[in-house]
Amino acid sequence: MAYRYLALLHPAAGAQAPSIDEATHRLHPLRMQCHRPTTGCTLYASADTPVIVLPGQGLVLGHVFSRRGTPLTHARQFPPCPTPGDLRRHILDNCWGAYLIVQVDPTRADRLTFQRDPEGGMPCLHRIADGSGFVASDVELPVHLGCYRRSIDWDAIGHRLLYPDIKTARTGLAGIRELLPGTRMDVQEGRTTLQAQWSPWDVINLQNPYASAREAADAVRAAVGMVTRAWAGVDRSILLELSGGLDSSVVGISLKDSAAEVACCTLVTPVPGADERRYASQVAALIGAPLDAQVMGLESVAHDFDVAPWTATPRVGMLQHATDAIMEQARHRHAATSFFSGGGGDTVFCYLTSAAPAVDAFRQRGAAQAMRAIRDLAGLHQCTVWKAGRLALRRQLRAPGPPCRPTDEFITPARAPCAPDLHPWLELPGRALPGERERIFALAATQIYRESAPRAMRAHLRLPLLSQPVMEATLRAPSWMWIAGAQNRSLVRQAYADLLPQAILARRSKGSFTGYIGALHARHRPRLREFLLDGMLHAQGIVDGASLERCFEREPSPRDRSIGRILELCAVENWARHQS
């Protein structure tokens, strides 16, 4: 199982925490190690969780690496820092990984600080009131210990449905919040204060772009390779989710000659559209790994599946659950320690579909670079240069829009719209360029990926392309550099031109599960209708029963967007029914 921890905060120095024996018994089958960074806090961690004790500077839970990929496992590998804040800044600037820093202010013993890594590899939920509460890897631990009783936050559920792609500190449970990646939380005198410590805007605002596309491609390849090999050295036995697309292929080829045993798994659907074996087999052969091709059924996929007890926010639907079950079975067959995925690659490799890169080029480099970007856009989208130029000019003149718009389909009119709770990365600097806005908005949305894969709590889920070094390497390259030569993700294609098969490098798209999702909806449609109309979302007045009825009465087209929305409602409904 992935690393788990529970930090109990006590209202006074003399307050008693559960003993380690009691905690071990009640949290069975976890074997727990105990740490007391201060008299007001007791931290329990599963026995396999790495804990670096830094004398006078606190604890680090999880994995920390140097920028060369060297694991940092001992206090002596960190430089002496005058203050806890200096240590946190050193780790952000010179290290990376999946970690949580826990520190006590040496000048105020009642002040605790928790800082989460920028990529969100170490989960962190918290509930703190009146000086007591907990910080935990998941909600199951405080529930089992009697520190929390599950209660649904229906306002948060409404927000989740209106803004499904926004990651916020709110969860679906009352009183439970998440410490977002790259954020610091200070706890003092019963109050919590939050401050973002790392943001992609910091990287862009350094104004340190690459001198050439070749320099950018080399930096991206170096960062991906370093991160992937570093995690492979930790995990030793890996199941790679290989789709056959460019992103997972990049991760796969980076595992070649690594220190780990690698097996690959690709998914095939019984309806056309998602069979990637032709491409996945080429990458598997290159790295000398077996390819496990698994067919996803239709009838065996349920809408009312059991929900993992550690989930605090509804993100897992029928497709995600089916994928999760197949991948977990494959991991056991291959005795793998962890999952590796190319998730987030489209975003981190700046796959934009608008004219924004041409506007960025004009504002950054002038008319000549803008014309080159317009020609690239025309070739990329198979349109005339005039049309690409017209769209770029329209984008240049248009005022910036909101970072997100509500998805109010099937939502009761009285509940929509409401203002979104914005992710810190959506707070824009004054002169943000259109392409930068688009790529960072999308980057913030990738933080929901781990919630969508409950297998991440059963085994480690590594997303190398969303690691801090890779994000920083790719953000330094301006958006127009990523469409050079009329290719999307141009820099990564250039970076791996000598390693990946030409058939993969030349791909403009990859397999889609759209047909499979439509087939799921068609097969389960009567049950989905009953499930939603008799459900808790309808009873709470969140979903509009009349609009649902009208939708179920008509025959949808194969690519009807309402199909995905129906399955999303079912995912939230199913999660809610499992919270009692």
Side-chain angles (χ1 to χ4, degrees):
M1 178 165 270
Y3 303 139
R4 305 177 78 185
Y5 65 89
L6 173 65
L8 295 174
L9 280 61
H10 322 303
Q16 295 296 310
S19 69
I20 187 65
D21 293 334
E22 179 186 358
T24 303
H25 174 73
R26 296 184 68 179
L27 294 178
H28 183 78
L30 286 179
R31 293 184 300 110
M32 308 295 282
Q33 50 180 308
C34 181
H35 299 272
R36 289 187 173 84
T38 179
T39 54
C41 174
T42 303
L43 189 147
Y44 301 104
S46 56
D48 62 339
T49 300
V51 179
I52 307 171
V53 180
L54 304 173
Q57 297 282 1
L59 309 171
V60 182
L61 300 177
H63 290 281
V64 184
F65 302 91
S66 74
R67 289 302 175 113
R68 294 178 177 270
T70 303
L72 305 180
T73 58
H74 302 286
R76 62 178 178 271
Q77 293 174 286
F78 295 84
C81 296
T83 70
D86 292 327
L87 175 65
R88 294 194 299 269
R89 178 47 54 187
H90 170 81
I91 292 175
L92 274 179
D93 292 344
N94 301 284
C95 309
W96 65 276
Y99 59 82
L100 179 73
I101 303 172
V102 184
Q103 294 178 304
V104 181
D105 189 329
T107 64
R108 290 292 304 268
D110 64 339
R111 180 178 178 179
L112 276 170
T113 295
F114 299 85
Q115 183 166 303
R116 192 179 178 194
D117 65 88
E119 60 196 78
M122 180 64 78
C124 186
L125 301 176
H126 60 92
R127 184 176 188 269
I128 300 169
D130 300 325
S132 64
F134 58 82
V135 178
S137 58
D138 58 276
V139 73
E140 185 187 23
L141 296 180
V143 166
H144 275 275
L145 200 58
C147 302
Y148 180 73
R149 183 181 179 88
R150 293 178 188 271
S151 175
I152 297 174
D153 182 344
W154 289 110
D155 286 338
I157 295 300
H159 184 278
R160 154 76 180 83
L161 288 170
L162 280 170
Y163 302 98
D165 296 327
I166 292 184
K167 174 75 169 177
T168 75
R170 297 175 75 181
T171 69
L173 294 173
I176 302 290
R177 298 183 71 83
E178 179 176 354
L179 183 62
L180 293 176
T183 304
R184 187 186 89 220
M185 177 175 67
D186 294 327
V187 184
Q188 184 176 359
E189 296 179 350
R191 295 188 301 273
T192 60
T193 56
L194 300 171
Q195 184 173 350
Q197 298 295 290
W198 186 94
S199 168
W201 291 111
D202 299 335
V203 181
I204 287 178
N205 290 338
L206 287 175
Q207 295 296 316
N208 186 28
Y210 299 108
S212 67
R214 182 70 263 170
E215 182 189 3
D218 290 345
V220 169
R221 176 165 159 172
V224 173
M226 182 274 293
V227 168
T228 305
R229 288 189 295 271
W231 280 127
V234 170
D235 295 334
R236 296 289 178 172
S237 178
I238 291 165
L239 180 69
L240 170 64
E241 301 175 39
L242 194 56
S243 70
L246 181 62
D247 306 326
S248 64
S249 298
V250 163
V251 175
I253 205 67
S254 300
L255 287 169
K256 186 178 182 181
D257 302 324
S258 72
E261 290 289 330
V262 181
C264 304
C265 186
T266 191
L267 300 179
V268 182
T269 62
V271 295
D275 189 344
E276 296 284 276
R277 284 175 288 188
R278 172 191 168 193
Y279 301 100
S281 60
Q282 295 181 55
V283 176
L286 276 175
I287 63 178
L291 179 64
D292 190 344
Q294 291 295 311
V295 178
M296 301 178 68
L298 288 171
E299 189 56 47
S300 60
V301 180
H303 60 280
D304 55 353
F305 53 85
D306 287 340
V307 172
W310 46 75
T311 58
T313 302
R315 294 284 182 194
V316 183
M318 295 172 71
L319 177 61
Q320 292 88 354
H321 178 70
T323 301
D324 191 84
I326 290 173
M327 287 296 174
E328 180 65 10
Q329 291 164 7
R331 183 179 72 85
H332 282 288
R333 278 196 304 276
H334 296 282
T337 303
S338 64
F339 299 100
F340 271 51
S341 169
D346 283 353
T347 300
V348 80
F349 294 147
C350 197
Y351 188 5
L352 301 181
T353 58
S354 73
V359 179
D360 289 6
F362 176 72
R363 296 186 186 178
Q364 288 179 309
R365 293 289 181 89
Q369 185 63 59
M371 283 305 302
R372 284 191 287 270
I374 287 171
R375 286 194 291 270
D376 288 332
L377 283 172
L380 179 60
H381 296 290
Q382 300 294 294
C383 67
T384 66
V385 171
W386 292 108
K387 182 176 180 179
R390 186 171 65 253
L391 292 174
L393 179 61
R394 183 185 303 172
R395 188 60 185 269
Q396 162 75 359
L397 298 175
R398 191 175 68 202
C404 54
R405 299 181 186 277
T407 303
D408 56 4
E409 188 178 18
F410 304 127
I411 300 297
T412 303
R415 281 192 172 261
C418 69
D421 291 340
L422 293 183
H423 188 285
W425 296 358
L426 304 187
E427 297 177 4
L428 305 177
R431 300 180 65 183
L433 299 177
E436 293 172 350
R437 284 166 48 93
E438 287 188 24
R439 66 195 296 197
I440 291 181
F441 290 173
L443 198 59
T446 63
Q447 292 184 354
I448 69 176
Y449 288 1
R450 293 183 188 275
E451 293 177 347
S452 303
R455 61 187 178 277
M457 285 301 296
R458 300 187 188 97
H460 304 294
L461 174 60
R462 310 300 188 195
L463 300 171
L465 303 185
L466 292 176
S467 66
Q468 182 183 349
V470 175
M471 286 192 288
E472 291 177 348
T474 56
L475 286 167
R476 282 183 57 198
S479 61
W480 43 268
M481 209 176 262
W482 290 96
I483 60 169
Q487 290 185 311
N488 62 50
R489 296 169 289 176
S490 173
L491 291 177
V492 77
R493 296 179 197 274
Q494 182 177 347
Y496 290 89
D498 62 330
L499 291 179
L500 288 176
Q502 184 59 34
I504 292 174
L505 287 169
R507 295 191 76 184
R508 287 178 173 266
S509 61
K510 64 179 180 180
S512 168
F513 282 89
T514 301
Y516 179 74
I517 291 172
L520 276 180
H521 176 267
R523 182 172 290 258
H524 297 276
R525 189 174 171 189
R527 282 175 283 179
L528 300 182
R529 176 186 179 278
E530 180 182 1
F531 189 64
L532 289 177
L533 291 175
D534 293 344
M536 298 175 74
L537 294 176
H538 190 201
Q540 288 288 329
I542 295 176
V543 301
D544 181 20
S547 62
L548 277 174
E549 286 277 22
R550 288 192 296 271
C551 178
F552 280 110
E553 285 171 0
R554 63 179 171 82
E555 194 65 34
S557 64
R559 294 184 177 275
D560 193 325
R561 291 186 178 182
S562 66
I563 292 176
R565 182 62 165 173
I566 290 292
L567 297 187
E568 183 175 46
L569 292 175
C570 288
V572 177
E573 173 68 31
N574 186 50
W575 178 87
R577 294 191 186 194
H578 281 82
Q579 299 311 305
S580 58

